[in-house]
Amino acid sequence: MKNYRIALIKGDGIGPEIIDEAVKVLDAVASCEDFDFQYEELLMGGCAYDVTGDPLPQETINGSMNSDAVLFGAIGGEKWDNLPREKRPESGLLRFRKELGVYANLRPAVVYDELVNASSLKPEIVQGVDLMVVRELIGGIYFGEPKGRDENRGFNTMVYTRDEIVRIAHQAFKIAMTRSKRVCSIDKANVLDVSQLWRDVVTEVAAEYPEVELSHMYVDNAAMQLIRDPKQFDVMLTGNIFGDILSDEASMLSGSIGLLPSASVGSKIGVYEPIHGSAPDIAGQGIANPIATISSASMMLRYALNENDAADRIDAAIKQALVEGYRTQDLAQFDAKEICSTSEMGSIIANYAVKCTK
Ligand code: IPM
Ligand code: MG
């Protein structure tokens, strides 16, 4: 029997609660498929800082590199907001992404029919939305040098090299080939030199994918179009900071940021995590929505482990739970038949995952 080694990084805030539910669901699907999981818990974020003085201990990097995939919850919280930048939980996460070389962050935004009323937009605008933000994750202004600040001046540098753009563009086009073959590349080429290079290189790479239709859009317009008519988009290819912002915006199409998963992939080990944060304000109350993390576990099965049947089971089970009217607090006002806790939602999805085939 196959045995997959999964690095579990629960992190801070609601991280532990939501990861526990994803593990419950993973174990449930493993029980009906021909594989098993072996988990190793590793520390990252504020909890790692508290124990070791470092938000990203070397052991976490090593353990992750020795795994088949990393399932990650969330990090951060007010408690650590006043630490020097390099000790902050967020710095740990950024270094982690860089160490693992996960340059492509895939953030699908899908609107479940059952939740069209949960979006802040009109149902006819969001019904049927199915898009994928492909965000460059280890370059751009998050990592550019020089950077710094003194009392009167702060600065960061947005820099992309040709190679960095080429590899993320290939990811986007490859993904588009499995979807409806449209890529919209988002930049600020009317103002930024780095964006003009981005646009030129993406256009060159596009020549290798003649079946894919490429368009370009300025990021301000894209932010507007995403709300005006989100169905015009299939794959949205963009740099680090624009992708950070647009993917939060896209999450609202689906009604709750607690629904959206992500995969961060590169040439080595992939990291699978919900797009939401650690939500310290609701931590420990059992009201967090575990669906984004469970859905990230499904992406892990699909992309890292090639266990598509198991991933289909999870996707179908999430859908079934929503169809049956089970809702966590965040979605309580939207056609709920039963309000459930974080752990109840995990158990419901785990049970359906065992019964569902596709
Ligand atoms: C995300 C988060 C992170 C980011 C933070 C926590 C560093 O917002 O994954 O989108 O900005 O990338
Ligand atoms: Mg973000």
Side-chain angles (χ1 to χ4, degrees):
M1 185 149 87
K2 277 175 286 181
N3 197 297
Y4 296 118
R5 286 161 311 164
I6 308 299
L8 288 183
I9 304 183
K10 297 184 175 182
D12 308 316
I14 58 172
E17 312 163 44
I18 54 180
I19 290 286
D20 286 349
E21 298 318 307
V23 167
K24 194 188 273 178
V25 175
L26 282 171
D27 286 339
V29 290
S31 73
C32 29
E33 303 275 342
D34 190 25
F35 57 79
D36 217 341
F37 295 109
Q38 188 189 321
Y39 304 102
E40 184 184 11
E41 276 193 45
L42 299 165
L43 292 178
M44 182 162 77
C47 58
Y49 173 80
D50 287 347
V51 176
T52 68
D54 183 350
L56 178 63
Q58 187 61 39
E59 199 189 328
T60 298
I61 300 172
N62 298 347
S64 299
M65 297 291 259
N66 286 326
S67 70
D68 293 308
V70 179
L71 188 64
F72 166 51
I75 48 107
E78 245 172 55
K79 183 177 168 197
W80 304 283
D81 278 353
N82 294 320
L83 290 173
R85 182 159 305 282
E86 73 282 3
K87 298 281 183 199
R88 287 182 55 153
E90 291 80 4
S91 301
L93 175 58
L94 296 187
R95 258 204 295 138
F96 185 64
R97 289 171 175 169
K98 192 83 171 175
E99 291 276 353
L100 267 66
V102 287
Y103 62 84
N105 183 217
L106 317 180
R107 295 189 161 180
V110 175
V111 174
Y112 293 100
D113 284 347
E114 296 67 36
L115 294 176
V116 285
N117 293 319
S119 172
S120 46
L121 299 183
K122 296 193 188 88
E124 63 270 26
I125 303 282
V126 296
Q127 181 148 37
V129 162
D130 179 359
L131 61 84
M132 173 80 90
V133 177
V134 177
R135 168 190 177 195
E136 199 291 327
L137 199 59
I138 56 173
I141 198 166
Y142 274 52
F143 292 91
E145 296 284 351
K147 62 179 175 195
R149 66 157 283 181
D150 59 27
E151 214 184 327
N152 299 312
R153 196 164 165 267
F155 58 99
N156 291 84
T157 304
M158 192 188 281
V159 50
Y160 272 115
T161 62
R162 169 174 287 276
D163 289 352
E164 285 173 328
I165 303 168
V166 166
R167 66 183 181 185
I168 190 71
H170 277 295
Q171 273 284 350
F173 287 112
K174 284 190 184 129
I175 288 168
M177 289 296 290
T178 68
R179 300 171 52 96
S180 60
K181 303 199 171 103
R182 284 178 299 125
V183 171
C184 180
S185 173
I186 291 150
D187 61 39
K188 190 71 185 174
N190 50 344
V191 176
L192 304 175
D193 291 332
V194 56
S195 278
Q196 189 60 57
L197 178 70
W198 178 280
R199 190 173 279 222
D200 295 346
V201 173
V202 170
T203 305
E204 281 169 35
V205 174
E208 295 177 44
Y209 301 86
E211 282 174 59
V212 179
E213 181 193 312
L214 171 66
S215 59
H216 301 276
M217 201 180 272
Y218 299 135
V219 62
D220 48 348
N221 185 26
M224 185 269 277
Q225 295 292 342
L226 200 49
I227 298 298
R228 192 186 71 80
D229 176 22
K231 275 179 267 189
Q232 71 186 282
F233 295 110
D234 179 24
V235 173
M236 300 176 84
L237 163 63
T238 189
N240 205 340
I241 196 161
F242 298 157
D244 180 44
I245 299 164
L246 292 173
S247 59
D248 264 33
E249 190 185 345
S251 77
M252 264 300 111
L253 304 170
S254 73
S256 170
I257 197 167
L259 293 169
L260 296 196
S262 84
S264 302
V265 297
S267 46
K268 298 173 261 182
I269 306 304
V271 183
Y272 298 82
E273 59 175 297
I275 83 154
H276 60 70
S278 60
D281 52 322
I282 61 163
Q285 297 175 34
I287 59 173
N289 187 343
I291 290 181
T293 313
I294 295 170
S295 185
S296 302
S298 157
M299 288 186 92
M300 178 181 86
L301 288 164
R302 210 179 285 287
Y303 289 89
L305 311 178
N306 218 1
E307 295 289 357
N308 292 310
D309 290 347
D312 288 344
R313 275 180 187 275
I314 296 183
D315 294 350
I318 292 172
K319 174 113 183 115
Q320 181 78 21
L322 294 172
V323 169
E324 299 295 333
Y326 292 105
R327 303 280 186 269
T328 40
Q329 278 298 336
D330 50 325
L331 293 167
Q333 298 138 278
F334 304 105
D335 306 317
K337 294 209 188 74
E338 200 172 319
I339 309 295
C340 45
S341 69
T342 308
S343 147
E344 284 161 354
M345 183 59 104
S347 302
I348 289 159
I349 294 172
N351 287 335
Y352 284 142
V354 172
K355 289 187 207 129
C356 295
T357 41
K358 268 210 171 176

